[in-house]
Amino acid sequence: MAPDSWSGLMEAAQNGHGGAYRRLLGETSEWLTRYFERRLPPGEVDDAVQETLLAIHRRRHTYDPRYPFAPWLAAIAKNKWVDQLRSLARRSADELPDTIAAGDHGAAVVSSSVLASLLDQIRPAQAQAILLVKVQGYSIDEASAQTGLSPSAVKMNIHRGLARLTALIEMTPDVE
């Protein structure tokens, strides 16, 4: 089921429909698993999913059915992700053996920095649409709900923003 139908399931759940609530939690659990698998070590994913489902359960009364469910869910998931990262940072780390291969993240850091500086040079709506759809993996409809723009406006911002980024990259001599 698509995230846009989750709003109806949550509204039904708020009105006491247990079946809708179980279905909603099951479907959001799958989405949360994919969300956290991209952001956390494998051993932390299940805990983060469970903590987020508990937070949804505790905060379900705060959801307003007039608004899309996906951004509400994403905000809770982001907060739980940050909590999980803080928890990881507080744990005492055992010394790692020298045999563990660690990749060089220098290129990724440079790429991220270059992308951020390029996005600062285009219109904010274009940068936001590109970040949501192309970087964070939102669908056009999810980005539309997140930004309050129509799906066609999101597509237009992506198209024009990417064209502007291409022009900026071609004009910059030190970008590989």
Side-chain angles (χ1 to χ4, degrees):
M1 180 169 259
D4 56 342
S5 63
W6 290 346
S7 297
L9 289 174
M10 181 57 133
E11 185 174 9
Q14 286 177 323
N15 292 326
H17 191 286
Y21 193 50
R22 282 188 296 281
R23 183 174 172 191
L24 175 70
L25 291 179
E27 291 178 13
T28 56
S29 176
E30 292 173 16
W31 182 87
L32 289 167
T33 300
R34 289 189 308 273
Y35 176 87
F36 289 122
E37 283 175 342
R38 293 188 308 247
R39 292 167 173 81
L40 291 171
E44 303 296 321
V45 171
D46 288 339
D47 289 345
V49 170
Q50 293 305 314
E51 287 296 321
T52 306
L53 290 173
L54 282 170
I56 291 167
H57 179 72
R58 282 187 224 114
R59 297 181 192 155
R60 68 188 181 279
H61 67 281
T62 67
Y63 172 70
D64 186 343
R66 294 178 297 170
Y67 299 100
F69 180 80
W72 184 80
L73 170 66
I76 293 172
K78 180 184 174 197
N79 290 337
K80 289 301 169 185
W81 171 56
V82 170
D83 291 347
Q84 199 76 12
L85 290 177
R86 287 181 183 140
S87 171
L88 284 171
R90 284 191 296 267
R91 294 183 198 160
S92 63
D94 296 330
E95 191 169 322
L96 296 175
D98 292 333
T99 58
I100 293 179
D104 181 12
H105 300 295
V109 170
V110 170
S111 295
S112 178
S113 174
V114 168
L115 177 62
S117 67
L118 286 170
L119 289 174
D120 284 342
Q121 297 179 50
I122 65 175
R123 293 189 173 152
Q126 293 171 348
Q128 183 183 26
I130 290 169
L131 281 171
L132 288 172
V133 175
K134 299 297 184 181
V135 177
Q136 296 176 351
Y138 282 77
S139 70
I140 296 294
D141 291 333
E142 291 170 330
S144 172
Q146 183 89 11
T147 61
L149 299 173
S150 70
S152 60
V154 171
K155 289 179 189 177
M156 180 191 62
N157 279 329
I158 292 170
H159 176 75
R160 290 181 179 171
L162 290 175
R164 179 71 180 131
L165 286 176
T166 301
L168 288 169
I169 290 170
E170 289 172 351
M171 293 181 341
T172 307
D174 62 340
V175 175
E176 297 177 11

